[in-house]
Structure formats: C-alpha cells, structure tokens
C-alpha cells in the first residue's frame, strides 16, 4: 500500500513550514493544532504566498459565514461540484469535512457518487442542481432556476452563495488537478 509519504503532495515545490512568511506559517500552525495534521492544500498553495492569502480569504468568506445555508450544505456543494470536476483532493478533503459537519458517515460518498440518489432533502437537491448547473453550464442559468430555488426557501443571497462556492471550487479543483495535489491520508477516516 502506498502512503502519502511515498509520493509528493504537489508537482510544484512545497515550502518548509519554517520558511513560510509569518502570517502564513501562523495560519498553517493553527490548522495543524485544530486538526492534528497540516492539510496538503495549505503547503501546496504556500508555494505562492500572495495567492495563498487571496485564496483563503475568499474561501473563508464563502465557507465560514453565517446564513441560510448551513456549513454542511456548503460542503455538499463542494463535494458534488468537485466530483463532477474529477478533483480527488477536494472530494476527499471536503468529503471528510462534510461527514463531520453533517454528523453523517455516509453522506459524502453518496453525494460524490451521485447526489441525485443521496439521502438529502428536496431543498438540498435543488441547491445542488443549481450548483451543478453553475459548475458545468453557467451560461444556461435563467430566471426559472432562481424561481425553483425560491420554491425551496432559498433566497437571492443563497443563490449567490451557491454560485460563488461552485465557481470558487471550480478554480480550486483545477489548481488541485494541475498541481497533482494529494489528499492527506488522515482525511479518509475522518467522520466515519
């Protein structure tokens, strides 16, 4: 069996923790303290410090804010769209976060395989239908899509959040795929 120590976490140079700018090093250390390990995305993106800062500022603005979408629902969007984009890193890492936030060991696998068959609410299915349309065919989004969201109690602000998460992780998925970013082994067992 191959482990992450056998293979690099990115095809690009990965800086050592002690060589990072202080603000980035402190953020990485805080994540390590909370989770018990350093998710590879932090080290891989630290290769370009200004982009690291911008990436995580936007990530946090989308994923950590209060609102009508729960944190678990935000992770559902990430897992579904990342699966469609064939991003192993994001499916595995955000699948772990989804399992923890939803307190459900099955939901991430269900959504990654086929969200339409997952044990989710009609509201969540409408949310993911919209996210997937934004991810694959944003040029086809029309008023009927917003009306359908509204029928499920999702507001204009929710539609923006769904679209922004889908779009942001479309970028993230592409970076993770191009860098050959490897999921940490620890993610696979979290929330199971």
């Amino acid at each position: 069996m191959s482990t992450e120590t056998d293979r690099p976490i990115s095809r690009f140079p990965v800086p050592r923790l002690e060589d990072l700018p202080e603000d980035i090093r402190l953020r990485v250390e805080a994540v390590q303290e909370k989770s018990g390990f350093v998710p590879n995305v932090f080290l891989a993106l630290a290769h370009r410090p200004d982009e690291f800062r911008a990436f995580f500022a936007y990530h946090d603005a989308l994923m950590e804010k209060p609102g009508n979408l729960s944190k678990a629902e935000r992770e559902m969007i990430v897992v579904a769209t990342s699966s469609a984009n064939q991003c192993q890193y994001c499916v595995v890492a955000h699948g772990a976060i989804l399992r923890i936030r939803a307190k459900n060991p099955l939901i991430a696998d269900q959504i990654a395989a086929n969200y339409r068959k997952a044990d989710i609410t009609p509201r969540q299915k409408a949310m993911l239908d919209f996210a997937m349309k934004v991810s694959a065919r944003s040029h086809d989004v029309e008023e009927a899509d917003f009306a359908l969201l509204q029928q499920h109690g999702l507001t204009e602000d929710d539609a923006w959040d769904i679209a922004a998460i889908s779009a942001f992780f479309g970028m993230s998925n592409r970076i993770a795929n191009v860098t050959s970013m490897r999921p940490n082994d620890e993610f696979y067992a979290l929330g199971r």
Side-chain angles (χ1 to χ4, degrees), residues 72 76 97-104 107:
M76 287 179 186
I97 298 167
L98 172 55
R99 288 190 299 272
I100 291 166
R101 291 195 166 162
K103 297 175 179 56
N104 180 337
I107 194 67

Side-chain angles (χ1 to χ4, degrees), residues 46-58:
H47 171 63
R48 302 191 61 166
D50 289 341
E51 292 170 40
F52 175 102
R53 292 178 186 104
F55 180 93
F56 283 107
Y58 197 36

Side-chain angles (χ1 to χ4, degrees), residues 1-38:
M1 178 174 110
S2 174
T3 65
E4 71 179 51
T5 57
D6 297 336
R7 298 180 57 203
I9 64 170
S10 173
R11 73 168 312 281
F12 293 92
V14 176
R16 296 178 319 157
L17 191 58
E18 58 270 18
D19 295 336
L20 295 176
E22 183 179 13
D23 63 315
I24 294 175
R25 183 180 49 75
L26 290 173
R27 173 152 189 170
V28 172
E29 288 172 348
V31 169
Q32 182 178 29
E33 177 73 25
K34 183 176 180 182
S35 66
F37 66 98
V38 177

